[in-house]
Amino acid sequence: MVDKKFSLKIQCGHCLNNTPMEIVAEFHRVIDTVESHPNDYDNVSKYYEVLQCPACSDISLQAYIWCDAYMETHDDTIFEILYPNKEVNDIPLGLPDNINKALTAAQKVKSIDANAFGVLMRRVLEMVCIDREAKGRNLADQLQDLAEKNEIPNKLVMVTKSLKNLGNIGAHPALGDLTREEIPILNALSNAILEYVYTAPFLADQAAERVEKLKIKRKSKETTQ
């Protein structure tokens, strides 16, 4: 029986669980050689490891550089996650802290339970409505209110309603079940909303602040000349 090998504790790019993962496959290739002693050379190799998350069972790929001449343990090793791409799971910029926290919680279950993910994403949408002081008796009315106040463009109103409906399916068994196939849709819909409401204004403010600093710096330089 072959003993299982495990990685150091890392964050899964699929479910965001932070844990050691089983190394289910390994591969390495020599990328260079170094002279460790006079006329004695050692290989510098790049190692690739296929990891399986114990929480969601999904697969990640990481790589690192190793040289026997200079390295004894993995304590100083720099690991690079090649898959999944970090950008896929990035939380949109500029979110209020409570919405950021709720979205992070939703991301953690998306590869474990699609229905729970749908419910939590609906909660994120409700929190957006509360944050933007939307009026209405229910979520549908509040979304329409945001559209009328130009918080959400008209074309995005139907998108938000679609997200609401998917959340309803996740919360009510009689309506059926969400599957892993709907998860990318929920991600895309939520990002469309969050980036329009929060990220775009956040980046615009940052750009304006940067331009103002450049103006001040240029004026200061002109004054000293």
Side-chain angles (χ1 to χ4, degrees):
M1 181 178 178
V2 180
D3 291 335
K4 292 182 177 180
K5 295 177 63 177
F6 290 87
S7 70
L8 300 175
K9 183 182 289 187
I10 64 171
Q11 186 176 65
C12 176
H14 302 282
C15 68
L16 303 185
N17 193 43
N18 197 31
T19 182
M21 297 189 191
E22 183 182 355
I23 302 172
V24 296
E26 293 179 278
F27 169 78
H28 75 273
R29 62 186 179 89
V30 176
I31 60 175
D32 201 357
T33 57
V34 294
E35 187 174 12
S36 54
H37 301 286
N39 299 318
D40 189 8
Y41 294 84
D42 280 287
N43 291 330
V44 178
S45 299
K46 186 165 187 177
Y47 281 76
Y48 300 86
E49 294 178 339
V50 179
L51 312 174
Q52 185 171 34
C53 176
C56 68
S57 297
D58 226 325
I59 295 297
S60 299
L61 175 64
Q62 74 173 6
Y64 63 92
I65 304 297
W66 184 267
C67 178
D68 287 332
Y70 300 108
M71 306 172 77
E72 295 181 357
T73 71
H74 284 300
D75 292 343
D76 297 322
T77 303
I78 298 176
F79 292 91
E80 178 187 7
I81 301 298
L82 304 178
Y83 174 83
N85 190 320
K86 291 182 187 178
E87 295 181 358
V88 173
N89 294 300
D90 277 349
I91 300 296
L93 297 172
L95 301 184
D97 289 342
N98 63 329
I99 295 177
N100 189 309
K101 183 177 179 180
L103 183 59
T104 300
Q107 293 289 339
K108 288 183 178 180
V109 304
K110 72 178 182 181
S111 296
I112 303 173
D113 189 326
N115 288 315
F117 181 63
V119 172
L120 291 176
M121 290 310 303
R122 177 189 167 95
R123 173 177 169 79
V124 169
L125 187 56
E126 291 172 343
M127 293 174 71
V128 172
C129 290
I130 293 172
D131 179 62
R132 306 311 298 172
E133 300 182 350
K135 294 181 174 57
R137 293 177 300 176
N138 52 49
L139 184 56
D141 291 344
Q142 291 169 5
L143 294 174
Q144 188 59 48
D145 182 62
L146 289 182
E148 292 173 358
K149 294 191 296 186
N150 293 320
E151 294 276 354
I152 301 175
N154 287 327
K155 287 186 178 181
L156 200 52
V157 174
M158 293 306 299
V159 175
T160 57
K161 288 182 178 179
S162 296
L163 180 57
K164 173 185 70 71
N165 292 335
L166 288 173
N168 285 341
I169 293 173
H172 303 291
L175 298 177
D177 289 311
L178 294 175
T179 69
R180 290 173 65 92
E181 294 180 357
E182 280 80 53
I183 288 177
I185 300 174
L186 283 167
N187 261 335
L189 294 180
S190 63
N191 283 341
I193 298 162
L194 296 172
E195 289 175 2
Y196 188 90
V197 176
Y198 298 108
T199 304
F202 173 78
L203 293 177
D205 288 344
Q206 279 200 327
E209 183 179 341
R210 179 60 179 166
V211 168
E212 192 61 31
K213 287 181 179 179
L214 289 174
K215 288 181 179 178
I216 295 173
K217 185 177 180 180
R218 185 176 60 188
K219 287 182 179 179
S220 176
K221 185 177 181 180
E222 290 174 351
T223 302
T224 57
Q225 287 179 346

